[in-house]
Amino acid sequence: MINLYNTLARKKQTFKPLRGKNVGIYTCGPTVYNFAHLGNLRTYIFEDILRRVLKYNSYKVKQIMNITDVEDKIIKKAQQEKKNINQITKPYAKIFLEDLKKLSIEKAEKYPLATKHIKEMIALISGLIKKGIAYKGEDGSIYFNIQKFKNYGKLSQLQKREIKIGARVSADEYNKEQAQDFVLWKTKKLNEPFWKSPFGDGRPGWHIECSAMAMKYLGKTFDIHAGGVDLIFPHHENEIAQSEAATGKKFVNYWLHGEHLLVNNEKMSKSLGNIYTLRDLEQKNFNPLAFRYLVLTSHYRSKLNFTWESLQAAQNALNNLHNEMIIINADKKSASISENQRKLAYEKQFLDAINDDLNTPKAIALVRKIVKDKNLSSNAKKSLVLKLDKALGLGLKNVKSEKIPLKIKQMADERDKLRANKQFIPADLLRKKIEELGYIVEDTAAGPKILRK
Ligand code: AMP
Ligand code: ZN
């Protein structure tokens, strides 16, 4: 049983998928005119944990993440650099996917481009015009009339906002204190890319992109929609309005939102100029997975203040975990019954943590406890931690196992026997010989371990 905090209900709910073991997830993707910053990446890591936890629970996941490749900021940059929008968006979309890979974020099943789905957006808007819910403003753009959709505000609690009846906004992102009619189709402007439509030349607004692509690939109603908290209003509220007004059906069952990454207690954002990218991290010789580790040590619904010190601590903790993975035990006994029971108990605790609204801080603490457990052999620990890492994605399976030469293993076994017979002097001599050959034998409660010197 998985419990997830649903923004729509403002509480944790047991997850019940629509189609058996198949789960449809839509995650709002990047606007590709620049590098993703660590704040954006925190949200994508949270969404990756969501899909991994579902898979860990034997669900089959279909995740769609859009790439916004036509938008005000892209157009502005293209104009400044005297390029067409494609020349801006293509390289950044590629870099985006590379960043995800470095963070061990699993690939979504599809990354649809907005510019390849204009037809679907036009169809949605046409339907809304026919129903009298969308209208043409004096400027020639098409707007959604929020008065015509009675559930407007159900996600973001409309009563907290000033409702500006008849007021229209043509920007995609706008004042979060106000609710007003929002743009679906922006009429053509000089030197801007445009597409033909029955309601005039122009280009789509940002919100309609997500509705069109989500419903095309996941159906009119699907399981989970996720993003950062800043998207609750207006973006997700508007997605619900457009989609439900068009289909008459519930758009999404579970809305999940990740909290922000902060710098000096302010949201990391391009507009505040306080951003870092993965390249900044790599220049300082950090492993991108140290950032992933840092993100997982806080719950996705808590704000996380980024500092280089906390990143260093995460890097150290990750290194320790990696070191635990390369230890090979001289003791080749198969796991005992009590060991197996311990493993099962840990697995259960781990599952309870991740299934409780993706409690990664608890899950990570548990992994750290496991690697320190003196009652588990290194082999048992390793197989257990690797299994749990399928949900956490810390890349532990890629840590290369050291091949300890047979001769060294035999010498360590021999030394163990000598010690068992209390022949400590020859045992110590053997240990020295092993050291001369580049290995160290460590006696632990779980038996001797061989490490490279
Ligand atoms: P954007 O490119 O601004 O549309 O953002 C892409 C994703 O990153 C969205 O899901 C945002 O909610 C999320 N996001 C933006 N800034 C932050 C931040 N400082 N911390 C966490 N997520 C963020
Ligand atoms: Zn979206």
Side-chain angles (χ1 to χ4, degrees), residues 171-429:
D172 287 319
E173 285 171 89
Y174 50 91
N175 190 338
K176 291 195 186 289
E177 311 305 318
Q178 296 174 352
Q180 45 195 317
D181 292 356
F182 59 90
V183 71
L184 297 169
W185 186 260
K186 301 182 181 198
T187 192
K188 175 181 157 185
K189 284 196 197 135
L190 194 66
N191 296 327
E192 284 196 356
F194 67 90
W195 286 262
K196 291 206 167 306
S197 86
F199 27 87
D201 293 350
R203 62 183 169 93
W206 171 40
H207 316 299
I208 199 76
E209 285 181 17
C210 284
S211 287
M213 291 189 272
M215 291 198 285
K216 168 160 185 178
Y217 294 104
L218 298 170
K220 288 176 181 154
T221 306
F222 58 93
D223 297 300
I224 305 177
H225 196 311
V229 281
D230 54 317
L231 299 190
I232 298 174
F233 186 88
H235 186 51
H236 290 163
E237 192 68 68
N238 291 350
E239 274 191 49
I240 292 176
Q242 299 156 160
S243 311
E244 298 192 356
T247 67
K249 297 200 163 85
K250 191 175 184 189
F251 180 44
V252 171
N253 282 338
Y254 300 85
W255 286 89
L256 268 61
H257 293 99
E259 254 299 349
H260 284 146
L261 184 72
L262 314 178
V263 183
N264 294 325
N265 296 309
E266 278 187 307
K267 178 186 171 194
M268 184 181 282
S269 69
K270 276 176 199 126
S271 55
L272 287 176
N274 60 357
I275 61 167
Y276 299 114
T277 71
L278 225 44
R279 274 136 296 276
D280 298 322
L281 241 84
E282 287 172 312
Q283 263 170 21
K284 289 183 187 254
N285 286 323
F286 282 105
N287 179 345
L289 290 178
F291 178 65
R292 181 177 178 107
Y293 188 99
L294 175 65
V295 165
L296 299 193
T297 56
S298 93
H299 189 259
Y300 78 91
R301 283 193 294 114
S302 303
K303 292 185 172 69
L304 170 63
N305 194 43
F306 176 82
T307 63
W308 292 105
E309 289 75 26
S310 57
L311 185 64
Q312 185 61 58
Q315 176 79 71
N316 296 346
L318 183 67
N319 289 350
N320 284 341
L321 217 49
H322 280 190
N323 286 338
E324 291 295 336
M325 292 291 104
I326 47 179
I327 291 168
I328 299 244
N329 198 344
D331 177 6
K332 285 187 290 189
K333 280 187 302 224
S334 54
S336 63
I337 294 171
S338 68
E339 237 184 356
N340 280 334
Q341 277 170 348
R342 265 186 113 67
K343 278 174 77 175
L344 284 176
Y346 277 132
E347 272 187 52
K348 162 97 177 52
Q349 287 176 49
F350 183 83
L351 194 65
D352 285 348
I354 56 173
N355 284 0
D356 178 16
D357 196 29
L358 319 178
N359 195 336
T360 54
K362 214 169 170 183
I364 290 232
L366 194 68
V367 169
R368 293 182 63 146
K369 188 171 161 197
I370 294 169
V371 298
K372 288 199 195 104
D373 187 337
K374 295 194 167 48
N375 295 313
L376 280 181
S377 71
S378 296
N379 289 336
K381 279 179 199 173
K382 186 168 177 170
S383 64
L384 176 59
V385 171
L386 286 186
K387 182 168 183 193
L388 308 187
D389 196 39
K390 284 190 185 145
L392 298 176
L394 292 170
L396 299 180
K397 73 171 189 312
N398 300 327
V399 176
K400 286 199 181 46
S401 281
E402 287 267 346
K403 274 253 183 290
I404 307 284
L406 186 64
K407 187 176 155 201
I408 302 289
K409 278 188 196 157
Q410 283 168 344
M411 287 167 79
D413 282 348
E414 181 59 28
R415 174 183 165 271
D416 209 25
K417 272 187 209 142
L418 289 169
R419 277 167 50 90
N421 294 327
K422 304 209 184 311
Q423 293 183 272
F424 296 114
I425 295 170
D428 255 11
L429 277 174

